[in-house]
Amino acid sequence: ILAVTLVVLFSGLPIAWGLTLVAVGFLLLLKGPAALANVPILIMDELSSFALLTIPLFILLGAAIGASAAGKDIYESLHRWLDRVPGGLVIANILACGVFSAICGSSPATAAAIGKAGVPEMMKRGVPASLATGSICAGGTLGILIPPSITMILYGIVTETSIVSLFFAGVIPGLLLALGNIISVVEDSNKLV
């Protein structure tokens, strides 16, 4: 199954259609044509899942905010607050990533939205490109831990774990990760001064 799936995915066929083709093909091969009667029922059951409905809505929210000036506004306000702190520009990016992660729940959307505003601003103010992009990448990972996280929703659905419990479990590690990133930036900034 894995070999056939890889061949189909690398063939250039869209992923959704490729996975559907592999699943239906193996269902026909292993269970026979009668098993195809269950496919529409399974599809409708999964589409009516309340938890799965949140994923496209979070993605839509992240895309809408990423296309707006919200990422730049978050970045600008945090930068003004942290202007005199060593490494304040980079810390502003990490905090902006944390705030944006709490809004949209997606690490890639966070990195894209904050990176679009933050990296050019940091480079314009003399921050090396490696530090600018590194801070966006490190801050973008906060989207996995800080609720609402799409990854936690998927994990909760697959393992039948309470999504609310997962959200509560992600708050403290997410804040600690952000704090660790900030401490690292402040220490590095103090070494450079």
Side-chain angles (χ1 to χ4, degrees):
I1 293 174
L2 177 63
V4 171
T5 302
L6 289 175
V7 167
V8 169
L9 290 179
F10 285 116
S11 71
L13 194 65
I15 293 173
W17 295 113
L19 292 177
T20 302
L21 179 69
V22 170
V24 171
F26 275 101
L27 188 62
L28 275 171
L29 183 69
L30 298 174
K31 298 289 184 178
L36 290 179
N38 292 331
V39 172
I41 296 168
L42 288 172
I43 290 173
M44 291 309 294
D45 283 346
E46 292 302 320
L47 287 177
S48 65
S49 168
F50 179 73
L52 282 178
L53 179 63
T54 60
I55 294 169
L57 294 176
F58 277 134
I59 292 170
L60 181 64
L61 175 66
I65 292 174
S68 72
K72 188 173 182 179
D73 291 343
I74 291 171
Y75 169 77
E76 283 296 326
S77 64
L78 287 172
H79 172 61
R80 288 181 184 153
W81 286 348
L82 299 169
D83 192 30
R84 295 200 171 125
V85 176
L89 204 54
V90 180
I91 293 171
N93 273 311
I94 293 170
L95 289 175
C97 286
V99 170
F100 195 81
S101 294
I103 294 171
C104 77
S106 169
S107 290
T110 299
I114 301 301
K116 187 170 63 172
V119 172
E121 290 293 324
M122 283 195 290
M123 291 177 67
K124 186 168 55 174
R125 292 182 172 108
V127 175
S130 59
L131 180 58
T133 55
S135 69
I136 295 297
C137 292
T141 61
L142 297 173
I144 294 174
L145 290 173
I146 296 178
S149 168
I150 293 174
T151 307
M152 286 186 187
I153 293 170
L154 288 174
Y155 181 81
I157 292 169
V158 170
T159 61
E160 297 180 2
T161 306
S162 168
I163 295 171
V164 173
S165 298
L166 290 172
F167 282 175
F168 280 123
V171 171
I172 292 175
L175 294 175
L176 287 175
L177 181 60
L179 182 63
N181 288 339
I182 290 169
I183 290 171
S184 175
V185 167
V186 170
E187 285 180 4
D188 287 344
S189 296
N190 286 333
K191 288 177 190 174
L192 295 174
V193 174

